[in-house]
Amino acid sequence: MRQVKIHTGALLAAGLIAGLAGCGSSSDGGSGDGPPQAAHPAAAAEQQGAGQQAGAEIATVRGRQIAVHKEKGDGAVWKTLSSPNEMGATRVFLVDAKDGDWLKVLLPVRPNGSTGWVKASDVTLSSTPHRIEIDPKAFTFTVFDGGKVLRTGKVATGEGGTPTPAGRFYFTELVEPPNPNGAYGAYAFGLSGFSPTLKSFAGGRGQLAVHGTNKTSALGGKASHGCVRVGNDDITWMAKNLAIGTPVVVKK
């Protein structure tokens, strides 16, 4: 596993963590910790070991922006996405398919599950054997290395009118809250998906996240505005072992 330096010098945009939909319920009253610092994480880009399955492919944007097309080979640009992204992390995509010089990628935009095509020459490809499956009915997560279970634990999901949506997502960035004992725990992974009911939240875009918590008693139930909470030991383990771009599947 290749170590990646944690950058703590530059603060991300104000309200980043608060703007992640569901990072705390209305009863939490907010963390009051201020914006988190970038964490490109302690071990966010592990190298694949001998005998591991290839797993998912991750496309990392090479330049300061990338053109996204609705169809491969289409001359018209559909979207232009910047890198670093809005959170200050290098832009990555989860690769869905390959066709010659083109890649179909999962996009971190609304609606959830959106895909587009990018040129392979505009990204650097890597792979991870890891994936996370979240079961909202059982309130559990499972981390897989190919077909092998690496870690399991309890989660808390969205409550009431702010459910955690089912779907296929991926980690888009890792941030480190200034107070590891606050409402967001030791780390928070941004997800490529968004709340289906909150178009904005505390100044943010209603982006979903997987993050730690200072209320372990809430794990095993519905307690958030849509984010997935896990224990601080679990999120710290994820920060050390899972790459940005790791697939996250939320079951129905």
Side-chain angles (χ1 to χ4, degrees), residues 1 23 27 45 60 70 73 102 123 133 161-162 167-168 175 180 199 209 230 241 243:
M1 186 162 51
C23 291
S27 61
T60 301
K70 283 190 174 182
W102 291 85
V123 301
E133 291 185 2
T162 57
R168 183 173 176 236
V175 296
K199 302 305 179 184
V230 301
N241 291 279

Side-chain angles (χ1 to χ4, degrees), residues 28-137:
D28 290 332
S31 70
D33 294 327
Q37 295 182 319
H40 293 273
E46 80 284 358
Q47 292 181 327
Q48 195 175 324
Q52 290 179 324
Q53 297 184 16
E57 283 199 286
I58 301 164
T60 301
V61 175
R62 300 178 65 179
R64 301 191 66 176
Q65 61 182 27
I66 189 168
V68 181
H69 303 257
K70 283 190 174 182
E71 301 292 339
K72 62 180 183 297
D74 187 357
V77 175
W78 176 37
K79 297 178 181 292
T80 300
L81 299 178
S82 63
S83 183
N85 63 16
E86 297 87 351
M87 306 301 190
T90 301
R91 176 86 61 183
V92 302
F93 303 110
L94 183 62
V95 177
D96 192 54
K98 291 181 177 180
D99 193 340
D101 296 331
W102 291 85
L103 302 173
K104 184 180 181 182
V105 296
L106 189 63
L107 298 174
V109 301
R110 294 181 188 269
N112 293 338
S114 295
T115 60
W117 292 85
V118 299
K119 294 181 179 178
S121 58
D122 289 339
V123 301
T124 299
L125 291 177
S126 59
S127 64
T128 177
H130 299 144
R131 72 183 188 281
I132 300 176
E133 291 185 2
I134 294 168
D135 187 336
K137 293 181 180 178

